Amino acid sequence: MIISVASGKGGTGKTTVAVALAKAINYCQFIDYDVEAPNADLFLKPDIKHVKKITIRQPYFFTSSGKSFKTCSDFCHYNAVAAIGNDVIFFSELCHGCGGCMLVGPEGLIREKEVVIGEIRKGFCCPGINFLMGDLKPGSMRTTTIQSELEKNIDYDNYVIIDCPPGNSCSMVMAVKCSDFCILVTEPTPFGLNDLVISIDVLNKLKIPFGVIVNRFGIGNDEVINYCQSRNIKILAKIPNDLNIAKYYSQGLSLVDFDPTWQKKFTNIISDIDKEILQK
Amino acid sequence: MKVCISSTGITLDSNVDPRFGRCAYFIIYDTSTDTFEYYKNESRDAMGGAGIKAAQKALENKVDTVISGSIGPNAFKVFQSSQIKIYTGVSGSIRSAIAQLKNNELTQAAVPNVQSHYGMVR
């Protein structure tokens, strides 16, 4: 059972909910898919046992040959290769590492080299959480390449909690697409609702069942609640807008540390999701 | 001098386009003959690296000077590699930009005046 925790708007409490879920289940795999800004490790404090560097292959051009590399430049959809006379200016951050320039360019004058774009880290958290995270190197745009590497390590036989990146674009799709159920965390504000609606649209297209957790309940207005009720969208929980929760958060503590009754509430949410998925 | 100017249109009364890589047209003006040619900017809708492609095309047209509203770091790097004179922050008509260039009223840019992806916000 794979449960992803996503949110269109950033800062609504994805990691708060994902960490609390993992702690409530206890024996599960936790994956921080927010490789551009991973932070779940601050709360789960994993003992990292294994680090794997993730590389892509990028071209190296031998420009002293006196041959033009214009075919490479014309081919490159991402405009990473500027061919000026017989010289080349290569823009590494634009290169997707497709290898196309090697096929169309002058034979033998382009070699590939490995370039590190980030790493994935594996470890354990007490008592039984298998922890996995991706960390993209600042400046690199290859978010989904790191995420594909995480995907290869999903433990399909166990409960898996996926902490998604914010937003509704490629990196969010990568994070939710393997899940059996998605928990959308939102806040009851116009901004929260606007981005929730977009997330719901994405999940419907991907045919992934979902429920909503309203965080910071008490601020804003009733529109999120009304929207969900009018469309029969299940509200799994409402987390109150409590300054003490923020205080715990800032100390690297989880919602279940703050108030142990959340342990039970999240266990119930999981069993409800279990039932819903198994009925299908 | 052969000058590449990012332009909103195809005549000398068109305005200097504020964006280099994602401008509508390029006007190539030859100051020795006071004649010009134009071409459509094919990299306008590129996913990324529009400035790089546009700069390469300008170099293929053997320009030695470039005028635009703004040029980002990647196009700037391509032009610098060929010692092209770069003038940014220019606005108004193409005609007035050429006049200013001839009267030495423009100041050469030493660094890019906008960040990457500047021209993507339309």
Side-chain angles (χ1 to χ4, degrees):
Chain A
M1 166 75 80
I2 303 173
I3 299 169
S4 55
V5 183
S7 163
K9 183 185 177 300
T12 56
K14 282 180 298 299
T15 304
T16 299
V17 168
V19 167
L21 274 173
K23 288 202 164 196
I25 305 171
N26 261 339
Y27 291 91
C28 64
Q29 184 187 35
F30 185 99
I31 313 180
D32 193 341
Y33 252 79
D34 187 6
V35 304
E36 290 175 17
N39 68 339
D41 54 320
L42 299 175
F43 301 94
L44 289 170
K45 304 171 185 70
D47 185 12
I48 299 294
K49 294 283 187 201
H50 182 71
V51 177
K52 184 182 174 191
K53 296 257 183 244
I54 308 301
T55 60
I56 56 165
R57 295 171 81 84
Q58 289 199 333
Y60 178 86
F61 300 88
F62 290 88
T63 51
S64 55
S65 63
K67 283 197 177 155
S68 166
F69 291 84
K70 186 149 191 314
T71 46
C72 307
S73 169
D74 290 344
F75 179 84
C76 186
H77 191 62
Y78 303 101
N79 294 328
V81 185
I84 315 294
N86 295 332
D87 206 357
V88 166
I89 302 175
F90 178 63
F91 293 86
S92 172
E93 68 280 7
L94 295 179
C95 176
H96 282 53
C98 73
C101 56
M102 289 190 65
L103 299 175
V104 301
E107 204 175 338
L109 297 179
I110 307 166
R111 297 281 164 78
E112 279 187 320
K113 57 175 183 181
E114 300 276 336
V115 178
V116 175
I117 54 159
E119 59 188 40
I120 63 167
R121 303 184 196 120
K122 285 183 193 177
F124 299 100
C125 323
C126 281
I129 302 171
N130 256 316
F131 181 87
L132 177 63
M133 69 181 282
D135 196 354
L136 182 73
K137 209 170 135 183
S140 176
M141 313 265 272
R142 303 296 302 270
T143 309
T144 52
T145 308
I146 304 278
Q147 290 179 322
S148 306
E149 202 62 32
L150 293 174
E151 196 178 317
K152 290 179 196 161
N153 288 275
I154 293 178
D155 180 5
Y156 291 93
D157 299 329
N158 278 308
Y159 277 106
V160 181
I161 303 296
I162 290 179
D163 189 10
C164 298
N168 300 296
S169 59
C170 304
S171 60
M172 174 268 196
V173 172
M174 277 294 283
V176 299
K177 75 180 169 74
C178 326
S179 58
D180 300 302
F181 191 92
C182 180
I183 296 176
L184 289 172
V185 187
T186 189
E187 57 176 39
T189 62
F191 192 176
L193 176 62
N194 180 75
D195 288 5
L196 174 69
V197 172
I198 303 170
S199 302
I200 289 173
D201 202 19
V202 172
L203 293 174
N204 279 334
K205 286 205 169 73
L206 294 170
K207 299 190 173 61
I208 295 169
F210 60 91
V212 170
I213 289 184
V214 182
N215 190 14
R216 302 191 67 198
F217 186 69
I219 64 165
N221 56 37
D222 298 333
E223 280 181 42
V224 166
I225 303 290
N226 293 342
Y227 179 88
C228 292
Q229 281 171 351
S230 69
R231 282 163 182 79
N232 269 331
I233 294 165
K234 195 184 254 180
I235 295 176
L236 304 167
K238 294 169 187 165
I239 302 170
N241 183 45
D242 185 338
L243 186 63
N244 286 316
I245 297 177
K247 282 182 181 165
Y248 265 70
Y249 179 92
S250 67
Q251 292 162 30
L253 293 166
S254 164
L255 196 57
V256 295
D257 301 317
F258 161 70
D259 177 356
T261 58
W262 278 103
Q263 181 103 20
K264 184 76 188 141
K265 287 176 196 164
F266 277 112
T267 317
N268 289 342
I269 289 172
I270 297 285
S271 47
D272 285 351
I273 293 172
D274 254 349
K275 275 179 214 145
E276 188 183 325
I277 299 300
L278 292 175
Q279 273 169 10
K280 289 192 172 171
Chain B
M1 252 188 305
K2 217 172 167 190
V3 193
C4 170
I5 311 154
S6 63
S7 173
T8 55
I10 60 172
T11 70
L12 296 183
D13 295 316
S14 312
N15 284 325
V16 175
D17 199 308
R19 302 154 306 164
F20 177 76
R22 295 181 189 278
C23 69
Y25 294 92
F26 286 107
I27 286 190
I28 308 290
Y29 192 96
D30 191 333
T31 54
S32 60
T33 56
D34 279 322
T35 55
F36 73 97
E37 293 166 359
Y38 69 86
Y39 57 88
K40 207 173 167 201
N41 178 15
E42 280 164 13
S43 46
R44 181 179 186 168
D45 296 318
M47 278 169 58
I52 296 169
K53 224 20 170 316
Q56 182 183 322
K57 184 92 189 276
L59 291 181
E60 283 163 15
N61 282 290
K62 306 266 182 260
V63 305
D64 49 49
T65 305
V66 60
I67 295 176
S68 185
S70 50
I71 294 183
N74 290 347
F76 206 91
K77 194 170 161 187
V78 173
F79 283 131
Q80 268 189 329
S81 75
S82 299
Q83 287 89 47
I84 304 297
K85 293 189 210 64
I86 305 166
Y87 299 93
T88 53
V90 182
S91 57
S93 73
I94 304 291
R95 201 183 298 282
S96 79
I98 295 290
Q100 288 175 63
L101 178 71
K102 284 181 174 174
N103 295 334
N104 290 321
E105 285 166 19
L106 299 179
T107 319
Q108 268 197 59
V111 289
N113 66 335
V114 289
Q115 291 296 310
S116 293
H117 305 128
Y118 166 83
M120 289 178 93
V121 184
R122 285 189 184 167

